[in-house]
Amino acid sequence: MTEVITDVDRMDEHVDDEIAACLNLKDPKSFFLFAGAGSGKTRSLVKALEHIRKNFGEELRLHNRRVAVVTYTKKARDEIISRLQFDPLFSVMTIHAFAWSIIQGFNHDIREWLRSNLKDEIAKLQADESKGRKGTKASAERLADIESKTRRLSQLDEVSTFVYNPDGENRGKGSLAHAEVVKMTGAFVRDKAILQKVLRDGFPFILIDESQDTNKHIVDAMFALQAAHKQAMAIGLFGDMMQRIYADGVADLGSNLPSDWAKPVKKLNFRCPRRVVTLLNKIREATDKQKQVACSNAQEGFVRVFLLDANTPDKPAAEKKIADLMAHTVEDRLWSDPENIKSLILEHKMAARRLGFFALYEPLYGFEPFKTGLRDGNLPILNFFASHVASLVDVKDDKFAVMRIVSRLSPLMSPDFLRSVEDEKKHLQKVQKAVDSLFGLFASGASPTFLDVLKIIDETRLFSVPDILRPALASAGISDPTAGSDDDRSERDIAISAFLNAEFKEIWPYQKYAAGLAQFDTHQGVKGLEFPRVMVIMDDAEAAGFAFKYDKLFAAGAAEDGITAATRRLFYVTCSRAERSLCLIAYSKTPLAVRDTLINRGWFEDKEVIVVESNAM
């Protein structure tokens, strides 16, 4: 069947041509592309890069120049790299990797920036402490922070080379924090003419995806770079201010652009059904008045709002019943299958409760240095259990697969160890006994804890126990802790000990969630993604956050303060993920009042808003 293309579907065709005209080596022009939800922003970005490759690729390669593409997530980075067929002409990086690529090796400048920054931070903390109450938790935290920063300041001259990992934790004397790298990169690019010239000569085009959420230090630096070298390079920003959901972006990006910047606008929404597009336009009416149009072949779509009392006792069960009701209402049986629904929650712990890894998650999330790795799925502690133990248990019925893993990961099977063995047959029997001891923990449906597993590993020496886990073993009377000191050891070890008491079976739903393969994801984590069936769960009490408040957004006569505006943008992002049908679930102390507000605003029709009585669940 031939697809019919109408005039509506062609309304944005000129946009890619406008962008291509800006990407000219002889006459570069910077631009900001407004691209609302589902408008094909990534497609336009890739088309722009393909234009560069076709028209200027040979010249750029000849002079060893490249195109920088800055993405917000690793997933977006990988997608763009794949679409460009891994062409080295394009340097596609996340914002933190891009920042580090600029300043890496400037060790003297980094040291002096840190010296000045640490002195300023210490002075501010000391001033706050002099004005604050002594003996309070806040005072204790300030004093600990002052001590930590003072010690780091005194050790700066001992560091010859600073190190940084944009995709994980950064600990140790020479390590830099994520926020520090971004902040100093912005300062270096703004203030160092030589660095600007290096960037100009290396990257005639710098394109930034999700620019509305890109750290303001980097965006401000790019504006300064472009202003100083506008005849030689172009900055391209792709984004939508209505989809700004992180506080460290530029709040008014797009409204105060230089007069010589191009400002193309995409109006089509290729993703959402008509009903959802209408809702999105209503949600953003109070902001920039931008309106989208559904493409000609868009379905009509379904939207339903379910309002429940905030004290509903079993919320996961209520959500399951609502999903079944959606299956009947929209005549789509896949709503009854959790694997075919993407449920969006406000906070990771809400997913941990619903998916069954809360005991694992809560203690580790309570220790600040673990948070990033835990959210991203690359926390070394968990990676040890996942790669060594979970992978082994997964293949326990396949002797050859078990031996492959043990041969690769066990110190008992290392070449050096095997060379020292007198009786290889007895040794292999010992290794098999160690494996059997581990598998025995899981026999007959048993559910061991992480600590049970760790004890067996330590006793049998099947795997090398990471040093960070040894204090927990020591406190359990198993072995001596590793020598050495760690400023955060006490708090860290409390978190690890609590985590080790969780059942090991929680590692599997956690892995699935961290990989983005579970039913649940956060409101913030799905930006740029799309799903046929979307359930948005809004529960301020359970989320216990302060940056977003749906109760405020849904209140009659709500003032458009910072929290309300941020929540409106987040609501827009979540609703705009739906390709077919959208189910909104809001827990509130006043569900009837919320219903009246949503209908009076014209966001929903009367039949679309259902107040669910507690006894109905």
Side-chain angles (χ1 to χ4, degrees):
M1 182 176 177
T2 304
E3 182 181 2
V4 177
I5 305 296
T6 70
D7 288 341
V8 169
D9 299 318
R10 293 191 178 95
M11 68 165 54
D12 286 346
E13 287 183 353
H14 65 94
V15 172
D16 291 334
D17 294 333
E18 289 181 40
I19 294 173
C22 295
L23 300 173
N24 187 325
L25 278 179
K26 294 182 173 57
D27 184 24
K29 185 174 184 178
S30 295
F31 64 90
F32 178 94
L33 169 67
F34 164 79
S39 63
K41 170 177 60 65
T42 303
R43 184 166 60 246
S44 288
L45 173 56
V46 172
K47 285 188 72 172
L49 296 172
E50 289 172 341
H51 165 81
I52 294 172
R53 175 163 55 190
K54 177 182 177 181
N55 293 279
F56 308 108
E58 185 176 344
E59 183 177 351
L60 291 172
R61 294 181 213 273
L62 182 63
H63 295 92
N64 197 28
R65 307 179 79 190
R66 306 175 74 193
V67 177
V69 184
V70 182
T71 68
Y72 197 83
T73 65
K74 290 180 283 186
K75 187 177 294 185
R77 173 200 64 194
D78 294 342
E79 179 184 352
I80 292 170
I81 289 174
S82 177
R83 288 204 199 184
L84 295 169
Q85 300 176 315
F86 304 89
D87 191 336
L89 175 66
F90 305 105
S91 181
V92 188
M93 295 174 281
T94 61
I95 185 66
H96 291 99
F98 176 67
W100 182 236
S101 73
I102 293 173
I103 66 171
Q104 184 177 11
F106 286 79
N107 293 298
H108 172 74
D109 300 273
I110 291 172
R111 183 181 299 104
E112 295 312 308
W113 185 92
L114 285 172
R115 198 188 310 278
S116 175
N117 191 63
L118 284 167
K119 287 180 179 178
D120 290 344
E121 289 180 346
I122 292 168
K124 184 179 185 307
L125 286 166
Q126 289 173 332
D128 291 343
E129 178 62 18
S130 67
K131 293 181 289 185
R133 288 170 50 202
K134 306 298 184 283
T136 63
K137 180 182 177 182
S139 174
E141 290 174 348
R142 281 193 297 267
L143 292 172
D145 210 6
I146 290 171
E147 181 184 359
S148 175
K149 292 181 187 299
T150 300
R151 183 168 54 254
R152 188 183 183 198
L153 180 63
S154 69
Q155 295 172 340
L156 278 181
D157 289 327
E158 300 172 18
V159 180
S160 58
T161 303
F162 290 92
V163 295
Y164 171 69
N165 176 7
D167 295 328
E169 292 182 83
N170 291 279
R171 298 173 65 81
K173 195 181 297 183
S175 296
L176 300 171
H178 298 299
E180 289 174 337
V181 168
V182 169
K183 194 174 179 181
M184 75 174 72
T185 299
F188 288 7
V189 174
R190 284 194 312 270
D191 302 337
K192 297 182 183 298
I194 185 64
L195 193 53
Q196 287 190 4
K197 291 178 181 177
V198 169
L199 282 171
R200 176 201 67 191
D201 294 341
F203 300 109
F205 304 118
I206 300 177
L207 307 184
I208 302 178
D209 193 18
E210 300 289 2
S211 58
Q212 75 279 351
D213 273 323
T214 302
N215 186 279
K216 56 180 171 287
H217 296 293
I218 298 298
V219 174
D220 289 345
M222 292 299 104
F223 276 110
L225 173 65
Q226 188 272 341
H229 302 279
K230 62 177 63 178
Q231 305 302 321
M233 67 179 307
I235 306 293
L237 306 180
F238 294 71
D240 172 14
M241 291 308 293
M242 192 63 188
Q243 296 185 70
R244 183 176 69 88
I245 55 178
Y246 295 103
D248 60 353
V250 178
D252 59 350
L253 182 66
S255 61
N256 297 307
L257 293 171
S259 58
D260 59 343
W261 280 50
K263 306 173 186 67
V265 175
K266 302 194 78 170
K267 295 182 178 180
L268 271 175
N269 184 318
F270 292 98
R271 174 193 302 148
C272 303
R274 298 178 189 279
R275 178 63 191 94
V276 173
V277 172
T278 300
L279 173 61
L280 297 178
N281 290 338
K282 282 287 185 182
I283 294 171
R284 74 184 301 160
E285 267 184 350
T287 58
D288 57 14
K289 309 295 183 183
Q290 292 280 0
K291 288 187 179 292
Q292 286 187 298
V293 178
C295 59
S296 63
N297 62 351
Q299 303 176 15
E300 184 57 35
F302 293 89
V303 175
R304 292 293 184 271
V305 184
F306 295 89
L307 305 174
L308 293 84
D309 188 274
N311 295 318
T312 297
D314 190 345
K315 292 175 180 178
E319 292 151 16
K320 177 65 175 69
K321 289 185 178 180
I322 288 172
D324 291 337
L325 183 58
M326 281 293 292
H328 174 73
T329 302
V330 306
E331 298 181 350
D332 181 355
R333 61 182 177 80
L334 291 181
W335 266 103
S336 293
D337 178 7
E339 294 295 319
N340 282 287
I341 304 170
K342 180 58 72 171
S343 297
L344 308 182
I345 39 80
L346 267 168
E347 213 276 340
H348 293 282
K349 286 194 288 187
M350 293 172 67
R353 286 192 184 94
R354 288 162 170 79
L355 291 173
F357 59 89
F358 187 74
L360 172 160
Y361 201 88
E362 185 181 36
L364 296 177
Y365 197 71
F367 182 54
E368 184 65 34
F370 285 168
K371 283 187 175 181
T372 299
L374 186 62
R375 287 194 301 259
D376 295 346
N378 56 22
L379 188 65
I381 300 171
L382 291 177
N383 286 347
F384 166 72
F385 286 107
S387 63
H388 289 57
V389 183
S391 62
L392 198 61
V393 175
D394 284 338
V395 298
K396 65 181 185 299
D397 296 327
D398 184 337
K399 292 183 179 180
F400 293 104
V402 168
M403 189 48 63
R404 279 197 300 270
I405 293 174
V406 172
S407 298
R408 180 166 54 89
L409 299 175
S410 175
L412 298 177
M413 297 297 289
S414 69
D416 288 343
F417 197 97
L418 290 174
R419 279 193 290 269
S420 68
V421 170
E422 294 182 4
D423 189 328
E424 186 173 327
K425 183 177 180 181
K426 284 186 177 180
H427 177 69
L428 291 177
Q429 290 174 342
K430 176 184 176 182
V431 174
Q432 185 60 53
K433 186 177 179 181
V435 172
D436 291 341
S437 296
L438 177 62
F439 288 166
L441 293 175
F442 298 88
S444 303
S447 187
T449 65
F450 283 91
L451 183 59
D452 293 333
V453 170
L454 195 62
K455 287 178 180 179
I456 288 292
I457 290 172
D458 188 59
E459 290 169 1
T460 63
R461 301 296 188 257
L462 180 60
F463 300 121
S464 297
V465 174
D467 289 345
I468 194 172
L469 294 173
R470 289 205 168 275
L473 282 174
S475 66
I478 303 301
S479 62
D480 295 330
T482 303
S485 62
D486 189 314
D487 300 334
D488 297 316
R489 171 152 290 179
S490 176
E491 185 183 352
R492 183 189 71 183
D493 292 347
I494 290 171
I496 292 174
S497 294
F499 144 70
L500 288 174
N501 287 321
E503 292 181 275
F504 189 86
K505 66 182 181 182
E506 295 194 4
I507 193 74
W508 284 285
Y510 165 74
Q511 283 182 285
K512 189 174 181 180
Y513 177 72
L517 302 175
Q519 173 190 353
F520 291 92
D521 209 327
T522 61
H523 290 199
Q524 300 92 328
V526 293
K527 188 170 63 171
L529 304 178
E530 53 195 34
F531 312 94
R533 299 158 204 86
V534 172
M535 175 183 284
V536 182
I537 300 170
M538 296 162 282
D539 189 342
D540 293 343
E542 188 179 359
F546 57 87
F548 305 105
K549 294 288 184 183
Y550 280 100
D551 281 341
K552 289 192 69 173
L553 177 65
F554 296 156
E560 192 74 4
D561 59 12
I563 292 177
T564 304
T567 308
R568 180 190 299 274
R569 294 194 299 269
L570 191 64
F571 188 48
Y572 176 92
V573 168
T574 58
C575 292
S576 62
R577 301 307 97 197
E579 295 175 297
R580 296 183 188 174
S581 48
L582 172 66
C583 173
L584 305 168
I585 298 177
Y587 294 95
S588 171
K589 294 179 181 178
T590 57
L592 289 173
V594 171
R595 180 184 189 278
D596 291 341
T597 300
L598 296 179
I599 293 172
N600 291 337
R601 285 182 185 171
W603 287 11
F604 304 97
E605 297 177 14
D606 187 83
K607 68 177 182 180
E608 294 176 327
V609 185
I610 300 99
V611 176
V612 181
E613 300 296 336
S614 297
N615 55 18
M617 291 289 111

